[in-house]
Amino acid sequence: MTEHTDTPTHFIRQIIDKDLAEGKHGGKGEHIVTRFPPEPNGYLHIGHAKSIFLNFGLAEQYRGACTLRFDDTNPAKESEEYVASIKADVSWLGCQWAGEVRYASDYFDVIHACAVSLIRAGQAYVDSQTPEQIAANRGDFTHPGTDSPFRERSAEENLALFEAMRQGELDEGTAVLRAKIDMRAPNMNMRDPVLYRIRKVRHHQTGDTWCIYPMYDFTHPISDAIEGITHSLCTLEFEAHRPLYDWVLDKLEGLQSFPSRPRQYEFARLNLNYTVTSKRKLKLLVDEGHVQGWDDPRMPTISGLRRRGYTPAAIRRFCDMVGVARADSVVDMGMLESAIRDDLNQHAPRAMCVLRPLKLVIENWPAGEVAELEAPMHPQNEAMGTREIPMSGEVFIDREDFQEEANKKFKRLVLGDRVRLRYGYVVRATDVIRDDQGEIVEVRCTYDPDTLGKNPENDEGQGKLRGVIHWVSAAQGVPCEVRLYDRLFTAANPDREEAGFLSCMNPSSLQVLEGAVAEPSLAVAPAESRFQFEREGYFCVDRDSQPERPVFNLTVGLRESF
Ligand code: ATP
Ligand code: MG
């Protein structure tokens, strides 16, 4: 990850500073260890980016380490595809995990041993109630729970039953291992939470080795302790789970030895308006075909943002702007869009592409001649160099840049009046040609050969021009496909829609322009390269792009439009 000077401070940094000052993590030369712990049950989204930059960022700022650990305790919902996509996304964001990728499933032996030691110590028991009985006896916020009739089983009996669970001798749903805490605890998470359940499904990492799987709340503290995590950072919904996290580690003290005694700290989730950030909902969009996959450029996934043309730097900048706090809030999508706009305005080379072509025939252009005009790659950055743009007697301009009649406010081409073709000559529109339906199919004009390289807005001696428009030479231009994207939802808060989040999907979130024409240099631009199409917006080359048929995705418009 690149060094980063204006690192924002926040309450978690204050906690770490204090811990380091007190020598909490081994004194001199100590270092902090964080982790990013995704469950491989979907692709990462913009919310995860906040957690990624927080965890990897802290490790970088304090010269510590950050591990990448898959929390893979629910094999029925997980897959190798998700594992691969998550690794690719974290790497693409520029974050490097310490050592090998870890899996909670790497620790299943240790976690099992922890369970056995808790049983021996009388801190856990096998409950043979049905799932319905367990739910009913848990009570609720106003009623205490009721002890299971199996709560007082002896350690020997529990050990034998737990072993039977592990050997596959018991059916799913007939037994679970529970922590023996307090069925009357005000915090529901402490009412004898389930530690292990039977699931006779194949696991993407451990195959058929196990038919019992530990629960997240049991797995997480142990995995953190095994990896020597010092600061275990998670989102606020885990706050009420922290007492259980601490209970597990406290009870294991003296029974198991670990390199660290991790502490959990919670921060606010990132919520963005005009989209959803829940893997379950994103999966639904994919599964039901509302979008074209997890990396559809309209998705708030990391891979979707990447395909849309976002840069890792812009996503990181956005996360820095959002900050790390303990209060939940909804961030405006416009903030994410302005982060990428600022980045691309500075770094993206310029190019011309006509989205809705209208032919402009220059009647006094020398027959057959092709001129090479020079244009800067970037108006403020000379170091980016120049490019050559071919010009001939027939060019395309955008349909929206021509009107037969218009008042002075229309700063484009009007019949009888003049504009400059960007980086080229001044032309005057003289006539229009129509098809049978009366639609204008061609504009005729003349050009002034003396106007090249002059002040773009003026044409000395003849007064101010209406404006400057972009264009592409008809013979040399490359036909391309342009995909115009808009927000996926029309409501600021899709989750609050009474009829469900799918009810406010934007029907015009994707518009495909088949007939666009790009300047020839764009034909060879590799996938993911990004440009400002002058006067149109920022675009990137899609992975579907071919040299004979480039495909460009709209990343963001030139200006804020909402
Ligand atoms: P989702 O709710 O979208 O399904 P999740 O929390 O189940 O996400 P995990 O794979 O468990 O997804 O998340 C990995 C890490 O990313 C966790 O530490 C989680 O707290 C964090 N995280 C997930 N969503 C957000 C978010 N919107 N903002 C910040 N951090 C997040
Ligand atoms: Mg989760």
Side-chain angles (χ1 to χ4, degrees):
M1 202 149 73
T2 47
E3 194 63 47
H4 183 87
T5 48
D6 58 330
T7 44
T9 192
H10 47 68
F11 78 99
I12 294 176
R13 290 192 62 168
Q14 286 159 8
I15 290 168
I16 295 175
D17 289 338
K18 185 163 174 284
D19 289 349
L20 291 174
E22 290 172 358
K24 220 173 186 170
H25 304 292
K28 220 171 155 43
E30 65 195 358
H31 65 285
I32 65 152
V33 186
T34 56
R35 85 286 169 270
F36 174 63
E39 185 183 350
N41 61 351
Y43 282 56
L44 298 181
H45 53 63
I46 182 73
H48 293 111
K50 173 172 176 176
S51 176
I52 289 169
F53 286 127
L54 175 62
N55 281 293
F56 285 94
L58 288 169
E60 173 192 76
Q61 288 146 22
Y62 289 92
R63 307 196 193 291
C66 180
T67 59
L68 171 62
R69 180 203 319 143
F70 288 100
D71 245 311
D72 54 348
T73 53
N74 196 2
K77 291 201 168 154
E78 299 163 3
S79 78
E80 195 52 55
E81 178 197 348
Y82 297 141
V83 168
S85 76
I86 290 170
K87 287 196 273 191
D89 287 348
V90 173
S91 298
W92 179 73
L93 286 174
C95 297
Q96 199 161 14
W97 50 87
E100 299 287 304
V101 169
R102 326 289 170 98
Y103 296 86
S105 56
D106 294 342
Y107 312 137
F108 279 175
D109 281 326
V110 182
I111 296 168
H112 179 264
C114 289
V116 169
S117 19
L118 288 181
I119 296 173
R120 286 217 174 91
Q123 306 286 356
Y125 63 98
V126 173
D127 193 354
S128 306
Q129 295 183 98
T130 64
E132 295 72 28
Q133 287 168 330
I134 291 178
N137 289 336
R138 235 180 132 220
D140 56 31
F141 285 107
T142 47
H143 300 91
T146 314
D147 283 358
S148 163
F150 304 100
R151 201 172 192 263
E152 298 308 328
R153 278 174 163 157
S154 69
E156 289 67 38
E157 194 184 354
N158 282 320
L159 285 172
L161 284 168
F162 189 49
E163 182 57 16
M165 283 171 66
R166 164 168 137 119
Q167 294 300 339
E169 291 160 17
L170 302 181
D171 290 334
E172 279 186 28
T174 62
V176 290
L177 183 72
R178 297 179 75 173
K180 196 171 183 177
I181 307 179
D182 180 4
M183 287 307 290
R184 274 154 289 274
N187 181 345
M188 302 278 289
N189 294 309
M190 300 299 272
R191 293 186 187 172
D192 291 11
V194 174
L195 303 181
Y196 261 94
R197 77 277 201 220
I198 302 167
R199 283 277 178 285
K200 295 188 175 171
V201 292
R202 208 184 149 72
H203 188 285
H204 51 102
Q205 302 300 320
T206 58
D208 294 318
T209 310
W210 297 91
C211 63
I212 54 172
Y213 292 98
M215 300 298 285
Y216 172 86
D217 279 337
F218 189 48
T219 308
H220 205 83
I222 298 172
S223 306
D224 281 348
I226 292 172
E227 289 175 9
I229 304 301
T230 54
H231 297 79
S232 181
L233 312 177
C234 60
T235 34
L236 281 175
E237 69 270 23
F238 292 102
E239 188 171 11
H241 297 243
R242 182 165 15 107
L244 178 52
Y245 183 99
D246 288 333
W247 183 92
V248 169
L249 293 174
D250 288 347
K251 294 300 169 202
L252 287 173
E253 224 165 84
L255 302 178
Q256 296 280 332
S257 99
F258 296 119
S260 75
R261 170 61 168 85
R263 299 279 164 194
Q264 175 181 303
Y265 301 96
E266 306 88 21
F267 62 94
R269 288 178 77 84
L270 170 63
N271 301 302
L272 252 195
N273 64 10
Y274 293 100
T275 192
V276 293
T277 46
S278 140
K279 279 185 280 189
R280 187 179 58 76
K281 289 175 186 156
L282 295 174
K283 185 168 188 311
L284 197 76
L285 291 173
V286 174
D287 289 348
E288 292 189 355
H290 300 290
V291 294
Q292 290 161 10
W294 285 96
D295 72 345
D296 186 300
R298 292 166 292 182
M299 291 280 270
T301 51
I302 303 301
S303 52
L305 291 168
R306 176 177 181 175
R307 198 170 170 192
R308 181 76 174 259
Y310 275 75
T311 60
I315 297 173
R316 184 168 185 176
R317 175 90 192 95
F318 166 72
C319 291
D320 281 352
M321 289 193 287
V322 169
V324 179
R326 277 190 55 89
D328 267 316
S329 65
V330 180
V331 175
D332 192 66
M333 176 74 94
M335 202 161 133
L336 179 61
E337 292 166 347
S338 85
I340 185 62
R341 189 181 292 113
D342 289 351
D343 182 352
L344 295 178
N345 182 33
Q346 257 188 67
H347 301 112
R350 275 40 178 175
M352 293 198 287
C353 180
V354 175
L355 302 189
R356 302 161 195 88
L358 173 64
K359 189 171 272 186
L360 179 70
V361 177
I362 306 167
E363 293 183 315
N364 58 337
W365 186 268
E369 192 174 300
V370 178
E372 289 293 343
L373 306 180
E374 195 176 89
M377 294 301 290
H378 193 288
Q380 282 95 40
N381 186 351
E382 267 180 41
M384 287 174 75
T386 59
R387 63 194 205 263
E388 292 212 315
I389 305 173
M391 160 100 196
S392 67
E394 290 190 0
V395 304
F396 288 118
I397 61 172
D398 201 284
R399 277 193 177 276
E400 294 184 358
D401 283 340
F402 176 76
Q403 281 184 17
E404 287 183 271
E405 280 177 56
N407 64 23
K408 287 283 171 218
K409 285 193 187 133
F410 188 71
K411 303 284 182 207
R412 314 174 195 190
L413 188 59
V414 173
L415 203 54
D417 209 346
R418 298 165 313 141
V419 291
R420 179 178 295 278
L421 298 180
R422 198 169 185 95
Y423 310 121
Y425 299 91
V426 171
V427 296
R428 180 188 298 276
T430 52
D431 202 1
V432 295
I433 311 264
R434 297 172 192 279
D435 65 10
D436 298 342
Q437 279 79 48
E439 177 103 11
I440 296 173
V441 290
E442 196 175 297
V443 177
R444 298 260 155 179
C445 72
T446 55
Y447 88 113
D448 180 346
D450 280 340
T451 50
L452 191 63
K454 302 257 169 81
N455 180 349
E457 304 280 341
N458 264 296
D459 170 6
E460 288 82 355
Q462 296 192 55
K464 207 164 156 56
L465 297 168
R466 267 188 185 259
V468 181
I469 63 173
H470 64 287
W471 55 278
V472 170
S473 175
Q476 289 80 23
V478 182
C480 60
E481 178 178 319
V482 172
R483 300 174 183 168
L484 300 179
Y485 292 104
D486 197 352
R487 292 173 179 180
L488 196 50
F489 296 95
T490 52
N493 193 340
D495 289 325
R496 292 244 178 91
E497 289 297 294
E498 228 165 88
F501 73 104
L502 293 174
S503 68
C504 62
M505 292 201 70
N506 178 1
S508 43
S509 59
L510 169 60
Q511 191 192 347
V512 180
L513 302 178
E514 303 276 1
V517 184
E519 72 174 70
S521 64
L522 287 174
V524 292
E528 293 192 3
S529 39
R530 307 171 182 94
F531 299 90
Q532 184 197 88
F533 286 174
E534 302 196 40
R535 302 181 65 238
E536 292 291 0
Y538 296 96
F539 289 79
C540 82
V541 181
D542 190 75
R543 60 169 162 72
D544 289 346
S545 206
Q546 302 287 327
E548 57 280 6
R549 184 152 181 86
V551 180
F552 300 101
N553 297 329
L554 172 65
T555 306
V556 70
L558 292 177
R559 275 165 288 279
E560 202 168 357
S561 57
F562 292 87

